């Protein structure tokens, strides 16, 4: 409701979707059966009594002739029947959605005291803050006294967090090795729709409703039977996709034709533009990151990503493109000159078509010709990209100039033309991926949902990775050493837990993380403060914080660094880089103002405290709207990022936008800083990122010598070894959540249970390190028994 601008916009959007479906089907059938193309193409002479001109209605067949042709066309009847059934289904869903939207509208009006007319002027943080406040008075959630920001995010992103976790652990079959094309990522809307249909909301899915996993999937005793059942269900859904493939393919072609033809004619270079792929959006997404937060972050990195991809213009293609553009442009110039001299030239057959095609050819060729005035620095651009997207494989750093890195990045940032082509091929390829690839992972999927599902009071079953608990899912190579007890199977890859925790803490400064996560944040703040102090004393070159910021010395991020060094209020009056080099400004700003900024993970405490410490020369006038608004926020003691106080809604919204940009900058700097530390720690170690992992099916034969699994029990690569009785009785650390299948260690202080190494999901094997062992997840003895480790999240 908030992101789609109210009830009326959502209602009109749903209505137009229904009308759009009717239009596409009816217009297609009309074009195929009710148009006399011989008249339209002037192949047939038409007798007119009143005029010699041929009009458009002359090419339309009479109604009775058109109806007869449709009745005799079996393909048209089949398309109409299938489309009618689908439209009735959409109509039923439309009625249900409108009822839900009306209830949400009433909730906004009555409970949150927000009218639909004023909704665009409220930020999401304000909406969320009001929900938290009314919970204290009206108990909209009866299972707990107070709601937290994390509870709200869990309800909205329950299924998306599961998808992000499965992509992070390389569980979904979206990466393939093709004989001629090499590694290829195929993740389309159709494939995503089928994944969600199978796992979450379709008939026979793993969830019995929108908030609860079915009880049988929470136990390990019948995992083989459940895997067979899931495999059969995937098979039948794949067969259904195969049978409906012709209809879906026709629909995809027609929809793409009607959607993109006008755009291609108006802007032929649009197919050469790039967009973030669906796989990229899922791979780069933090746990508990809303759609608008994700897209805002990726859009900020779009320009730098485009420049980076343009660094790899092929010299051969450039030479060919220049010459093809010359020849096509010469012909186009002659035709245009002839039409200017005499417009009757346009009446000659195919002249107008030739002008259009030659124009498209010239435009496409120009997209392969780089700007001769541009200077590219791939390593620096990749740093700028990392500041916004926050995730990047280790082997990219230092190899930004290599075509291998460019090809892997293109899987996240693909051509628009490739995106359209994949969507067109999706109806054909999706059934085979379901039948031959996803079915083989059914046992691993069953184990994943049991081992990584927790029951949160007032929220329901959620993915345990979405708890962002460093102790449960932290990675030692991402500043979690000494604070995590997760085995290699339980660790989130690519620093997903740590970066997601950072992002959520910055976005929601009032949220109180678990004890281990709080320790992680405090340690990070201490590290940044210590290194900022060292840089102030002259050893700037050895500071990871300075290295992170110094890597952004380009035209791209000057506004980013300006926001960091000067804070939100004086943003408009900052003149960075005019009096000296960027490095000088950064080194001074890091010691004077950047250190408090980097040290503060709470924009409330950081921004409000820092505003009072800025030199008066950098602050706007006292009557400046941003200053007056921020004073109102500071005076009321309310979070400056969640309430738009001030004399007008516009002033509050401007301040919210500035503070949001400030938080985005803070997260970018922390992401760069964490990657710098991770790069130092992981030098000489084997990369464990997605592009270096083997497929889990290929790793099923890998065996660790010091672990002897029972040979009579079939296992997936993700199902841990059998636990000892002592491990099965280990208690969990806090109260508030129920974990199914997964275990954690008891907080015993000095002693801790031994844990066995195992083969993890991606096919890589953890090196056995002295003093660090991993506890296997116990199997339940009976499918009717719930695991003994139970605790509640309040």
């Amino acid at each position: 409701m908030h992101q789609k601008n109210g009830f009326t916009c959502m209602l009109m959007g749903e209505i137009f979707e229904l009308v759009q479906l009717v239009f596409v089907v009816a217009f297609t059938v009309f074009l195929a059966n009710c148009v006399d193309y011989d008249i339209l193409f002037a192949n047939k002479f038409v007798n007119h009594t009143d005029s010699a001109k041929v009009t458009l209605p002359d090419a339309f067949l009479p109604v009775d002739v058109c109806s007869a042709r449709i009745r005799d066309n079996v393909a048209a009847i089949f398309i109409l029947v299938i489309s009618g059934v689908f439209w009735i289904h959409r109509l039923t869903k439309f009625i249900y959605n409108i009822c839900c939207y009306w209830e949400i509208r009433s909730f906004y009006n009555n409970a949150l005291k927000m009218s639909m007319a004023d909704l665009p002027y409220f930020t999401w943080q304000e909406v969320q803050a009001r929900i938290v406040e009314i919970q204290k008075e009206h108990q909209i959630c009866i299972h707990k006294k107070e709601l937290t920001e994390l509870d709200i995010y869990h309800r909205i992103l329950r299924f998306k967090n599961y998808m992000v976790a499965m992509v992070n652990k390389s569980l979904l079959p979206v990466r393939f090795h093709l004989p001629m094309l090499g590694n290829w990522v195929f993740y389309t809307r159709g494939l995503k729709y089928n994944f969600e249909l199978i796992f979450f909301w379709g008939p026979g899915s793993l969830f019995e409703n929108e908030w609860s996993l079915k009880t049988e999937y929470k136990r390990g005793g019948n995992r083989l039977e459940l895997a067979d059942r899931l495999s059969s269900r995937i098979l039948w859904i794949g067969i259904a996709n195969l049978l409906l493939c012709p209809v879906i393919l026709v629909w995809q072609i027609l929809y793409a034709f009607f959607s993109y033809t006008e755009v291609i004619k108006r802007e032929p270079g649009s197919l050469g533009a790039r967009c973030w792929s669906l796989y990229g959006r899922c791979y780069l997404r933090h746990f508990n990151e809303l759609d608008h937060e994700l897209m805002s972050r990726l859009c900020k990195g779009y320009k730098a990503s485009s420049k980076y991809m343009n660094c790899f213009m092929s010299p051969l293609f450039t030479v060919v493109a220049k010459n093809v553009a010359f020849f096509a442009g010469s012909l186009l110039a002659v035709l245009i000159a002839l039409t200017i001299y005499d417009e009757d030239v346009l009446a000659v057959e195919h002249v107008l078509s030739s002008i259009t095609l030659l124009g498209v050819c010239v435009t496409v060729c120009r997209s392969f010709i780089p700007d001769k005035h541009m200077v590219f620095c791939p390593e620096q651009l990749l740093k700028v990209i990392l500041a916004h997207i926050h995730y990047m494989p280790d082997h990219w750093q230092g190899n930004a100039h290599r075509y291998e890195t460019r090809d892997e990045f293109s899987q996240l940032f693909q051509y628009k033309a490739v995106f359209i082509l994949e969507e067109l091929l999706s109806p054909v390829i999706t059934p085979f991926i379901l039948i031959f690839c996803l079915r083989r992972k059914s046992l691993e999927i069953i184990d994943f949902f049991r081992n990584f599902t927790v029951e949160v009071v007032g929220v329901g079953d959620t993915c345990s990775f979405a708890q962002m608990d460093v102790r449960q899912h932290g990675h030692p190579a991402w500043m979690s050493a000494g604070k995590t007890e997760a085995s290699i199977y339980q660790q989130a890859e690519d620093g997903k837990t740590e970066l997601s925790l950072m992002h959520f803490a910055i976005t929601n400064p009032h949220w109180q993380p678990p004890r281990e996560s709080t320790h992680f944040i405090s340690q990070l703040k201490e590290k940044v403060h210590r290194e900022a102090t060292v840089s102030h004393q002259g050893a700037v070159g050895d500071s990871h914080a300075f290295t992170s910021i110094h890597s952004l010395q380009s035209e791209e991020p000057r506004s980013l660094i300006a926001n960091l060094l000067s804070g939100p209020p004086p943003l408009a009056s900052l003149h960075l880089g005019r009096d000296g080099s960027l490095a000088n400004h950064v080194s001074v700003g890091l010691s004077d103002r950047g250190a408090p900024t980097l040290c503060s993970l709470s924009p409330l405490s950081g921004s409000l405290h820092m505003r009072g410490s800025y030199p008066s020369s950098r602050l706007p006038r006292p009557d400046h709207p941003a200053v007056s608004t921020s004073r109102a926020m500071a005076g009321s003691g309310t979070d400056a990022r969640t309430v738009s106080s001030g004399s007008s809604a516009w002033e509050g919204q401007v301040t919210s936008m500035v503070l949001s940009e400030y938080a985005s900058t803070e997260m970018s700097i922390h992401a760069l800083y964490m990657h710098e530390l991770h790069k130092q720690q992981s030098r000489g170690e084997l990369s464990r990122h997605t592009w270096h992992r083997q497929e889990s099916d290929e790793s099923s034969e890998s065996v660790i010598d010091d672990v002897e699994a029972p040979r009579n029990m079939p296992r997936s690569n993700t199902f841990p070894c059998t636990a000892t009785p002592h491990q099965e009785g280990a208690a969990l650390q806090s109260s508030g959540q129920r974990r199914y299948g997964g275990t954690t260690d008891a907080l015993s202080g000095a002693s801790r249970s031994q844990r066995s190494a195992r083969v993890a999901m991606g096919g890589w094997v953890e090196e056995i390190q002295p003093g660090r062992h991993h506890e296997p997840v116990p199997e339940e003895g009976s499918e009717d028994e719930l695991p003994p480790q139970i605790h509640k999240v309040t």
Side-chain angles (χ1 to χ4, degrees), residues 476-717:
W478 289 88
M479 301 180 62
S480 295
K483 293 177 287 296
T484 180
E485 300 173 358
S487 66
I488 195 172
Y489 170 63
Q490 297 167 324
Q491 295 166 2
E493 299 301 316
D494 309 322
K496 181 73 76 173
T497 299
E498 291 78 6
L499 287 168
S500 297
L501 174 63
M502 290 285 304
H503 180 268
F504 195 82
I506 292 174
T507 307
N508 302 275
H510 287 166
W511 175 65
Q512 296 295 328
R515 182 171 58 86
E516 290 78 9
S517 300
T518 303
H519 184 207
F520 169 83
I521 295 174
S522 301
Q523 185 184 42
L524 178 60
K525 290 160 61 177
E526 182 182 352
K527 280 179 176 289
V528 177
H529 179 71
R530 184 170 59 249
E531 295 199 3
T533 304
V534 171
S535 67
H536 180 52
Q537 296 174 354
V540 178
D542 299 331
S543 169
H544 289 98
F546 176 78
T547 303
S548 302
I549 301 178
H550 181 70
S551 64
L552 296 179
Q553 185 177 350
S554 68
E555 190 68 27
E556 207 76 41
R558 291 195 179 206
S559 61
L560 186 75
I561 302 301
N563 195 3
L564 171 72
L565 298 182
S566 296
L571 191 61
S573 61
L574 183 68
H575 303 283
L576 181 62
R578 297 183 182 180
D579 302 329
S581 65
L582 179 63
N584 293 333
H585 284 277
V586 168
S587 61
V588 174
L590 183 61
S591 59
D592 295 341
R593 292 184 288 277
T597 305
L598 290 176
C599 292
S600 172
L601 282 177
S602 173
L604 173 65
S605 60
S607 60
L608 295 182
H609 172 73
M610 289 166 58
R611 291 181 199 182
S613 63
Y614 290 145
S616 59
S617 59
R618 285 190 175 269
L619 287 173
R621 299 188 310 272
D623 58 347
H624 194 278
V627 175
S628 60
T629 306
S630 62
R631 285 179 179 175
M633 293 179 186
S636 62
T638 311
D639 181 12
R641 304 242 316 277
T642 57
V643 177
S644 298
S645 304
S647 59
S648 67
W650 170 251
E651 292 179 3
Q653 193 173 34
V654 168
T655 304
S656 297
M657 292 170 59
V658 172
L659 292 176
S660 176
E661 182 68 21
Y662 177 81
S664 175
T665 300
E666 189 177 3
M667 181 61 206
S668 297
I669 298 301
H670 280 95
L672 288 171
Y673 177 77
M674 293 175 67
H675 274 272
E676 286 293 331
L677 286 182
H678 173 69
K679 183 174 67 174
Q680 297 294 330
Q681 295 178 8
S682 60
R683 280 181 178 175
E685 297 180 2
L686 180 63
S687 175
R688 305 171 58 235
H689 291 277
T690 303
W691 285 271
H692 280 186
R693 297 180 206 146
Q694 302 173 1
E695 289 295 329
S696 55
D697 292 330
E698 297 175 0
S699 63
S700 57
E701 297 179 359
S702 302
V703 178
I704 300 178
D705 295 336
D706 59 348
V707 176
E708 184 175 356
R711 298 183 179 179
N712 57 351
M713 173 62 71
R715 296 181 181 275
S716 70
N717 301 311

Side-chain angles (χ1 to χ4, degrees), residues 29 69-83:
V29 173
R69 293 184 64 176
I70 293 176
R71 287 194 299 268
D72 296 337
N73 192 335
V74 179
I77 295 296
F78 178 74
I79 291 176
L80 288 173
V81 171
I82 296 297
S83 302

